[in-house]
C-alpha cells in the first residue's frame, strides 16, 4: 500500500534474541517524571498587558482547574462576533497563570511542559521568557523549560494567553482557553524524544505477530553517552510476553539516534472492533544497570488494508466502515469534555451499529483516541478544514503556509501508535482545488509528511464537488492512497468505474436510504461517515438557532427517532423500533424539533415522533413506521394484531396506517421463531411527577468522570409527557456539584452552568461531578405542580493511574 519506512536519522538495526518466556521480575515503575498540571490556575477573561511577567498581580483572578472552556459559559447573544458559526457564544482573549515550585534535584534534569490543546493563537511564557506560539487550537505541543527555571523556595510562573478575538474563525463552535490537559515532564538529559517511540505490527495473524519498535533517543548532555534500549511487551494482564535489548551504542552530545527492534509474539490477541485487545510497550534507555528514561506506549496488534474491488479489510475479514462524523464539543462542557462524556456517547453510537469515527475536521484530544482504542472504533484522523483559501475571514488559512506541515507532523507523531486509526485525512471540502497546480503541490507535500512520519497508514481527503474542480481527471484525487468524497455517492462510484484501481470511501454522507444502499450494494465502496453522529454547537444560519440538529443523537446523548432506522441497517443485534410519521409543516427556527438536513444548507421540520401521544387524541389515522433488522414484524394495538410484514429487500421501513386509540402500541420482531425484539409505546396521561435516571451508581472525583442524570416529566404510570416544557430545578447535597444542565433544544439560550433547565420534549439533563472520594451525593429535582424526586450516587476514590 505504502512504501516501507527507509529513512532515519543516525538509524541502525541491532537485533538480539527475543525472549518469549514470562518475566515476572520485570518492573513497570517509571523513572520519568510526569505530573498533571491541571490544577490551580488563575484565569482572567480579558487581555492583561504584562501578565507574562512573574510579578504581575493576579490575586483577584479566578482560581480554577483546566481543562477549561470559558466560551461555553456564555452568554448566547446574537451580537457575539462568532455569529451562528460559533453558536453565538463569546470570543476574545483569556489569560492563565500558574505558580509552582521545583525541588533542587530537578536542576540536573530536563523539564518540559506538554499542552494537549489551547484554543487558540496561544503564547506561553515561563518566568517572563516567551517559549513560543501555536495558532492552531487543535494540536498538542511541548515546550522545554530547562534554563529558565527557579528551584527550591523560589517559585516559577507559567503564563498562557489564548486569543480567538478575530472572528469568525471557524464554521462550528471551537471553545476557548486551555481546554485540554496539561502535564509537567522531567527527564534525564539522555531521554526518549517526545513522541519518539513508534510501534507497528508489520505481521499480524492469529498465529504470529511481528512487533516493530522504533525509538529515537536524544542526548542533551554535554558529553557522548553509551546506552542501550530495552523494550518489553506487556499484554492486557501486565504479563511480559516479549523482551529485547540492544547492544550498547554511543550517542554524541547534542544528537539523536533511532533504535529499531523486531519482537515476535506467538498466538497474539488481535485488536478488532469486537475484541479491542491492547498491549503496552515499555521502552527504557539504559546505561548499564541504570534506567535513565522510560515511557509506556499502548498499542494494538492488527492488520488492515483497503482493496480497490472489495473495500476495507481488518484481520482478514472484509467489512463495511459504518462511520459518523463528530465535532469536538459536548453539550454543557463545550470543548473541555470529560472522557466519561465521550464514553457514554460512543456507547450509544455502538448500540446503533456505528463502528467508525471521523474527527471532523481536526485532530481530537489524545484521550479520545485512547477511548476509541479501548472501545474498538475505527478512526479517520482529520487535520484541516481549510488550506490557503478561506471559509471564514479569521480561520486557519491565515496560518496554513507556515504551520500546516508542522501541525501535520506533530499530530501524526502523537497519534501513530493508536490501533484505532486507519486513515489520515488531509482536509475537508478544501477550496484550493479549483487552482489545480496550487492544490496538487499542497496535497503532495502533506501526503509526504504523513508518510514520512507514519508509512503504515493511508491518506485520504474529503473531496468536495470533485467533478466541478476536475479532481478525478487532473490527477489530484490520485495523489491520495484512498479517494474520499463528501456526498454525491454516484460520482465517487463513477470515478471508481473510470479507474478501477482506485480505493474509495465516503467521507461525509447523508442519512437517507439511497446513500446507504450505495454502500450496501457496492463492494468497492469501503464505507461511509454520516453527517453527523451527534448534534453540535454552531453552524447555524440564523438566530435564535445556536446548534445543528444533524445527529443520530441530540446534544444530551439521547437517540433521535431517525437513529433507529440507522440501527436497523447497521446493527447485527436484533432490534425493533417504531415512530409516528406526521405530515411536515413549514418550519421556522423556533419550532420544537426543528432539524437540519444532511447539510446545513437545507432545513426540515421534525416528522418522526417516538411516542403514542399525538396532540389529537380523538379518532384519526396515524402512519406508524417500524424499523427492524428482523425478518418479520407484527404490530399490536391494545392487544389486537394489526398484521405482520416481512423485511423489505430495499431496507425501506415497514408502515401501518393505524386508527388511533389510546393505550399500548406494541411491535414484535421475529426471525422465524420466537420473539427476538419488542418495543412498546404508551399513551401518556396528565403530568404527575418527575422521574430521575442516572447512568452511574458511583462517581469518582477524577476530572474525566461525570454522571448524567436525566429528569423527565411523566404521568402517574411513568410514561413520558412528550410535549412537556416544565422548568426543572436541581438541588445537590453531599460531595458533588452540578457541572451543567442541558435539554438538547438547539434554539434554547438558557445557560449551561446553572441549576435549572426547561424540559424539551419531556426531558432535560444534569451532569454531576464528585468533589471528594467518599460519601453520598443526593440530587433532587423539582418543578411547580409536580411531585419531586431524588436519587443518590456513591462517591468513591479515583483509581490510581
Amino acid at each position: 500500500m505504502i512504501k516501507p519506512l527507509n529513512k532515519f536519522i543516525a538509524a541502525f538495526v541491532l537485533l538480539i534474541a527475543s525472549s518469549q518466556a514470562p518475566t515476572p521480575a520485570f518492573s513497570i515503575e517509571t523513572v520519568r517524571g510526569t505530573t498533571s498540571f491541571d490544577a490551580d490556575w488563575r484565569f482572567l477573561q480579558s487581555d492583561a498587558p504584562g501578565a507574562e511577567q512573574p510579578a504581575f498581580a493576579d490575586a483577584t483572578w479566578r482560581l480554577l482547574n483546566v481543562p477549561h472552556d470559558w466560551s461555553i459559559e456564555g452568554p448566547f447573544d446574537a451580537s457575539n462576533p462568532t455569529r451562528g458559526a460559533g453558536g453565538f457564544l463569546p470570543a476574545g482573549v483569556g489569560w492563565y497563570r500558574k505558580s509552582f515550585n521545583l525541588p533542587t534535584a530537578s536542576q540536573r534534569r530536563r523539564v518540559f511542559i506538554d499542552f494537549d490543546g489551547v484554543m487558540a493563537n496561544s503564547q506561553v511564557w515561563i518566568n517572563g521568557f516567551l517559549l513560543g506560539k501555536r495558532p492552531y487550537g487543535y494540536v498538542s505541543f511541548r515546550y522545554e523549560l530547562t534554563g529558565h527555571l527557579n528551584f527550591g523556595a523560589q517559585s516559577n510562573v507559567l503564563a498562557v494567553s489564548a486569543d480567538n478575538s478575530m472572528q469568525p474563525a471557524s464554521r462550528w463552535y471551537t471553545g476557548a482557553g486551555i481546554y485540554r490537559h496539561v502535564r509537567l515532564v522531567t527527564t534525564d538529559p539522555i531521554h526518549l524524544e517526545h513522541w519518539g517511540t513508534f510501534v507497528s505490527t508489520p505481521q499480524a495473524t492469529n498465529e504470529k505477530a511481528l512487533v516493530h519498535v522504533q525509538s529515537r533517543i536524544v542526548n542533551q548532555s554535554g558529553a557522548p553517552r553509551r546506552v542501550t534500549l530495552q523494550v518489553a511487551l506487556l499484554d492486557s494482564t501486565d504479563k511480559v510476553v516479549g523482551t529485547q535489548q540492544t547492544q550498547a551504542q554511543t550517542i554524541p552530545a547534542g544528537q539523536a539516534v533511532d533504535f529499531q527492534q523486531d519482537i515476535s509474539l506467538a498466538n497474539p490477541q488481535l485488536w478488532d472492533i469486537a475484541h479491542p485487545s491492547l498491549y503496552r510497550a515499555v521502552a527504557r534507555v539504559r546505561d548499564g544497570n541504570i534506567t535513565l528514561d522510560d515511557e509506556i506506549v499502548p498499542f494494538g496488534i492488527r492488520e488492515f488494508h483497503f482493496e480497490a474491488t472489495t473495500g476495507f479489510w481488518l484481520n482478514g475479514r472484509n467489512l463495511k466502515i459504518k462511520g459518523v462524523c463528530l465535532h469536538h464539543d459536548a453539550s454543557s462542557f463545550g470543548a473541555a469534555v470529560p472522557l466519561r462524556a465521550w464514553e457514554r456517547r460512543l456507547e450509544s453510537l455502538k448500540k446503533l451499529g456505528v463502528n467508525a469515527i471521523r474527527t471532523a475536521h481536526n485532530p481530537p484530544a489524545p484521550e479520545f483516541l485512547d477511548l476509541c482504542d479501548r472501545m474498538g472504533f475505527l478512526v479517520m484522523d482529520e487535520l484541516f478544514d481549510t488550506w490557503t483559501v478561506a471559509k471564514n475571514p479569521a480561520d486557519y488559512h491565515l496560518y496554513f503556509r507556515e504551520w500546516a506541515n508542522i501541525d501535520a507532523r506533530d499530530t501524526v507523531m502523537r497519534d501513530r501508535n493508536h490501533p484505532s486509526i486507519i486513515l489520515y485525512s488531509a482536509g475537508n471540502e478544501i477550496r484550493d482545488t479549483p487552482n489545480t497546480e496550487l492544490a496538487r503541490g499542497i496535497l503532495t507535500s502533506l501526503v509526504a509528511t504523513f508518510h514520512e512520519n507514519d508509512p503504515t497508514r493511508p491518506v485520504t481527503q474529503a473531496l468536495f464537488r470533485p467533478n466541478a474542480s476536475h479532481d478525478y481527471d487532473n490527477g489530484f484525487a490520485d495523489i491520495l492512497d484512498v479517494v474520499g468524497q463528501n456526498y454525491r455517492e454516484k460520482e465517487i462510484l463513477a470515478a471508481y468505474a473510470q479507474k478501477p484501481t482506485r480505493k474509495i470511501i465516503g467521507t461525509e454522507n447523508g442519512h437517507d436510504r439511497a446513500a446507504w444502499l450505495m454502500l450496501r450494494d457496492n463492494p468497492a465502496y469501503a464505507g461511509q461517515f454520516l453527517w453527523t453522529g451527534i448534534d453540535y454547537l454552531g453552524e447555524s444560519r440564523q438566530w435564535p438557532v445556536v446548534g445543528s440538529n444533524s445527529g443520530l443523537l441530540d446534544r444530551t446523548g439521547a437517540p433521535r427517532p431517525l437513529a433507529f432506522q440507522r440501527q436497523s441497517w447497521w446493527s447485527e443485534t436484533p432490534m425493533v423500533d417504531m415512530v409516528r410519521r406526521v405530515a411536515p409543516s413549514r418550519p421556522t427556527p423556533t419550532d420544537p424539533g426543528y432539524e437540519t438536513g444532511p447539510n446545513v444548507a437545507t432545513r426540515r421540520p421534525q416528522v418522526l415522533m417516538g411516542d403514542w401521544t399525538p396532540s389529537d387524541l380523538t379518532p384519526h389515522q396515524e402512519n406508524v413506521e417500524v424499523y427492524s433488522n428482523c425478518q418479520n414484524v407484527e404490530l399490536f394495538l391494545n392487544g389486537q394484531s394489526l398484521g405482520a410484514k416481512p423485511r423489505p429487500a430495499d431496507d425501506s421501513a415497514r408502515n401501518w396506517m393505524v386508527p388511533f386509540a389510546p393505550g399500548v402500541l406494541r411491535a414484535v420482531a421475529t426471525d422465524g421463531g420466537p420473539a427476538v425484539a419488542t418495543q412498546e409505546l404508551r399513551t401518556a396521561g396528565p403530568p404527575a411527577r418527575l422521574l430521575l435516571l442516572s447512568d452511574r451508581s458511583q462517581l469518582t472525583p477524577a476530572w474525566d468522570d461525570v454522571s448524567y442524570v436525566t429528569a423527565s416529566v411523566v404521568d402517574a404510570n411513568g410514561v413520558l409527557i412528550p410535549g412537556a416544557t416544565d422548568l426543572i430545578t436541581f438541588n445537590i447535597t453531599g460531595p458533588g456539584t452540578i457541572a451543567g444542565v442541558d435539554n438538547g433544544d438547539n434554539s434554547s439560550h438558557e445557560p449551561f452552568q446553572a441549576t435549572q433547565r426547561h424540559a424539551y420534549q419531556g426531558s432535560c439533563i444534569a451532569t454531576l461531578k464528585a468533589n471528594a472520594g467518599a460519601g453520598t451525593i443526593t440530587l433532587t429535582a423539582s418543578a411547580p405542580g409536580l411531585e419531586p424526586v431524588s436519587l443518590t450516587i456513591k462517591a468513591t476514590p479515583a483509581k490510581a493511574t
Side-chain angles (χ1 to χ4, degrees):
M1 178 177 63
I2 302 172
K3 292 182 180 180
L5 191 65
N6 57 14
K7 185 177 181 181
F8 306 100
I9 299 175
F12 60 89
V13 181
L14 293 169
L15 303 180
I16 65 173
S18 172
S19 170
Q20 298 297 319
T23 312
F26 188 90
S27 169
I28 59 172
E29 294 181 1
T30 61
V31 299
R32 172 179 290 196
T34 303
T35 304
S36 172
F37 240 43
D38 288 347
D40 299 329
W41 289 79
R42 293 282 180 179
F43 170 70
L44 181 70
Q45 187 180 324
S46 70
D47 201 2
E52 74 278 7
Q53 296 301 322
F56 186 89
D58 61 8
T60 60
W61 290 18
R62 179 177 166 193
L63 183 64
L64 52 75
N65 299 336
V66 300
H68 169 241
D69 174 7
W70 63 259
S71 181
I72 198 65
E73 298 171 10
F76 292 105
D77 193 314
S79 64
N80 275 330
T82 58
R83 304 178 188 170
F88 297 104
L89 283 161
V93 179
W95 276 89
Y96 297 81
R97 287 168 52 92
K98 180 179 173 68
S99 297
F100 63 100
N101 292 82
L102 290 174
T104 55
S106 295
Q107 289 178 295
R108 298 185 297 273
R109 295 173 68 79
R110 311 299 291 197
V111 184
F112 305 89
I113 191 74
D114 289 353
F115 291 90
D116 286 343
V118 182
M119 189 64 67
N121 298 299
S122 66
Q123 296 186 84
V124 181
W125 293 263
I126 181 67
N127 295 328
F129 177 82
L130 178 63
L131 296 167
K133 64 178 182 179
R134 291 303 283 258
Y136 198 30
Y138 296 106
V139 293
S140 301
F141 55 92
R142 163 178 285 189
Y143 294 123
E144 183 164 7
L145 310 184
T146 311
H148 308 288
L149 292 167
N150 303 311
F151 299 92
Q154 190 173 357
S155 65
N156 302 275
V157 176
L158 188 67
V160 180
S161 71
D163 183 356
N164 69 347
S165 56
M166 290 178 58
Q167 292 290 336
S170 174
R171 297 187 302 112
W172 60 89
Y173 177 76
T174 64
I178 305 177
Y179 72 105
R180 292 180 183 168
H181 293 290
V182 185
R183 291 170 301 281
L184 187 77
V185 178
T186 61
T187 72
D188 189 89
I190 292 84
H191 59 89
L192 292 154
E193 187 179 71
H194 189 38
W195 301 321
T197 296
F198 179 23
V199 184
S200 58
T201 55
Q203 181 181 355
T205 68
N206 289 318
E207 293 75 32
K208 181 182 178 181
L210 185 66
V211 179
H212 182 76
V213 182
Q214 171 191 331
S215 292
R216 180 169 296 175
I217 301 175
V218 180
N219 182 358
Q220 287 190 282
S221 74
R225 290 294 294 269
R226 191 169 177 81
V227 299
T228 63
L229 181 71
Q230 179 193 73
V231 173
L233 305 182
L234 282 63
D235 66 12
S236 59
T237 66
D238 284 343
K239 173 184 174 182
V240 177
V241 294
T243 62
Q244 190 170 110
Q245 182 166 309
T246 68
Q247 297 176 358
Q249 292 291 312
T250 299
I251 305 178
Q255 295 189 27
V257 170
D258 280 356
F259 290 70
Q260 295 182 73
Q261 303 185 42
D262 289 305
I263 303 176
S264 296
L265 299 183
N267 305 312
Q269 297 295 312
L270 299 184
W271 186 95
D272 202 283
I273 57 175
H275 304 285
S277 300
L278 291 172
Y279 289 78
R280 292 190 292 168
V282 181
R284 286 177 163 173
V285 181
R286 305 271 286 177
D287 182 353
N289 294 323
I290 299 173
T291 298
L292 303 177
D293 189 36
D294 50 22
E295 67 177 337
I296 300 173
V297 179
F299 71 99
I301 298 172
R302 85 284 186 267
E303 186 278 332
F304 78 88
H305 64 278
F306 290 82
E307 292 187 1
T309 56
T310 54
F312 180 71
W313 292 76
L314 178 64
N315 298 328
R317 182 164 62 99
N318 189 205
L319 58 89
K320 291 292 189 183
I321 295 171
K322 302 171 181 176
V324 296
C325 303
L326 294 180
H327 277 314
H328 75 147
D329 65 300
S331 182
S332 61
F333 295 110
V337 186
L339 196 58
R340 170 56 194 166
W342 279 122
E343 182 181 47
R344 176 177 177 265
R345 290 170 152 214
L346 293 186
E347 287 169 350
S348 296
L349 289 172
K350 196 155 206 173
K351 288 179 182 177
L352 298 176
V354 174
N355 64 18
I357 305 298
R358 175 191 179 205
T359 64
H361 304 289
N362 49 263
E367 66 269 19
F368 177 84
L369 295 174
D370 292 336
L371 186 63
C372 290
D373 292 343
R374 294 195 297 270
M375 296 185 69
F377 281 92
L378 308 170
V379 174
M380 179 193 296
D381 195 357
E382 191 154 67
L383 268 291
F384 308 115
D385 190 50
T386 58
W387 290 353
T388 67
V389 178
K391 295 179 181 177
N392 281 290
D395 64 22
Y396 187 69
H397 84 280
L398 297 174
Y399 315 103
F400 182 87
R401 293 185 185 277
E402 179 182 358
W403 286 97
N405 280 289
I406 297 170
D407 290 339
R409 177 203 66 196
D410 288 356
T411 299
V412 171
M413 291 184 67
R414 186 198 74 170
D415 294 350
R416 59 190 177 177
N417 290 311
H418 290 281
S420 56
I421 296 176
I422 58 167
L423 282 165
Y424 296 116
S425 170
N428 170 67
E429 297 184 354
I430 297 301
R431 295 185 179 180
D432 299 61
T433 54
N435 186 334
T436 302
E437 293 308 311
L438 171 68
R440 282 172 56 90
I442 291 173
L443 182 58
T444 299
S445 176
L446 286 174
V447 170
T449 298
F450 284 113
H451 287 177
E452 181 180 354
N453 293 283
D454 181 359
T456 71
R457 290 176 175 87
V459 180
T460 190
Q461 181 176 321
L463 301 180
F464 179 59
R465 300 181 180 174
N467 284 0
S469 51
H470 305 288
D471 297 344
Y472 294 131
D473 305 319
N474 61 20
F476 180 82
D478 294 315
I479 298 172
L480 299 166
D481 304 306
V482 177
V483 178
Q485 179 175 332
N486 287 2
Y487 307 105
R488 293 175 170 80
E489 292 78 13
K490 291 182 180 179
E491 284 186 13
I492 194 170
L493 288 168
Y496 166 73
Q498 176 193 44
K499 189 175 182 180
T501 56
R502 286 174 171 148
K503 302 163 186 176
I504 61 170
I505 191 167
T507 42
E508 189 170 310
N509 303 87
H511 293 270
D512 55 291
R513 182 168 55 92
W516 156 238
L517 293 179
M518 291 287 187
L519 175 62
R520 188 195 72 174
D521 297 340
N522 289 279
Y525 209 178
Q528 292 180 343
F529 290 86
L530 300 178
W531 191 262
T532 57
I534 307 173
D535 286 1
Y536 56 95
L537 290 168
E539 206 157 5
S540 164
R541 291 296 180 91
Q542 65 185 106
W543 179 268
V545 178
V546 297
S548 174
N549 293 36
S550 59
L552 295 173
L553 312 179
D554 71 16
R555 280 203 318 257
T556 71
R560 297 185 177 282
L562 189 67
F564 299 109
Q565 183 179 47
R566 183 62 49 172
Q567 185 182 23
S568 74
W569 298 337
W570 281 9
S571 176
E572 297 179 1
T573 302
M575 58 77 61
V576 64
D577 200 274
M578 53 187 166
V579 298
R580 294 184 298 114
R581 178 173 284 277
V582 302
S585 59
R586 185 174 181 177
T588 65
T590 55
D591 284 344
Y594 184 71
E595 295 184 352
T596 60
N599 59 68
V600 295
T602 59
R603 306 281 182 178
R604 65 172 184 267
Q606 182 175 347
V607 297
L608 302 177
M609 308 294 177
D611 63 71
W612 195 237
T613 310
S615 56
D616 179 7
L617 297 178
T618 63
H620 65 280
Q621 293 284 313
E622 286 284 347
N623 181 358
V624 176
E625 190 159 292
V626 177
Y627 310 127
S628 179
N629 54 11
C630 300
Q631 293 306 309
N632 287 282
V633 175
E634 187 171 7
L635 200 63
F636 297 85
L637 178 59
N638 295 326
Q640 181 178 352
S641 176
L642 302 179
K645 294 189 178 184
R647 181 176 184 176
D650 63 357
D651 269 347
S652 58
R654 285 166 261 201
N655 290 76
W656 281 259
M657 294 304 298
V658 178
F660 175 77
V664 180
L665 187 68
R666 187 167 188 258
V668 178
T670 60
D671 278 324
V676 292
T678 62
Q679 192 214 9
E680 288 187 353
L681 298 177
R682 294 176 178 267
T683 307
R689 58 188 176 90
L690 295 174
L691 178 67
L692 289 182
L693 294 175
S694 173
D695 67 333
R696 312 292 296 280
S697 60
Q698 297 184 348
L699 194 57
T700 75
W703 186 91
D704 278 309
D705 204 3
V706 62
S707 176
Y708 280 74
V709 179
T710 302
S712 300
V713 181
V714 298
D715 68 7
N717 296 314
V719 178
L720 180 74
I721 311 296
T725 60
D726 301 67
L727 180 62
I728 299 175
T729 299
F730 298 98
N731 181 61
I732 193 167
T733 60
T737 60
I738 297 172
V741 293
D742 196 6
N743 61 10
D745 179 4
N746 282 301
S747 295
S748 173
H749 305 142
E750 296 173 277
F752 291 120
Q753 283 67 46
T755 57
Q756 61 182 19
R757 190 78 171 194
H758 283 91
Y760 175 66
Q761 297 185 345
S763 299
C764 65
I765 63 165
T767 50
L768 310 185
K769 284 193 168 191
N771 51 30
T776 299
I777 301 168
T778 301
L779 183 73
T780 301
S782 60
L786 299 176
E787 180 183 339
V789 64
S790 298
L791 61 72
T792 60
I793 297 174
K794 183 180 179 182
T796 61
K799 294 181 180 179
T801 58

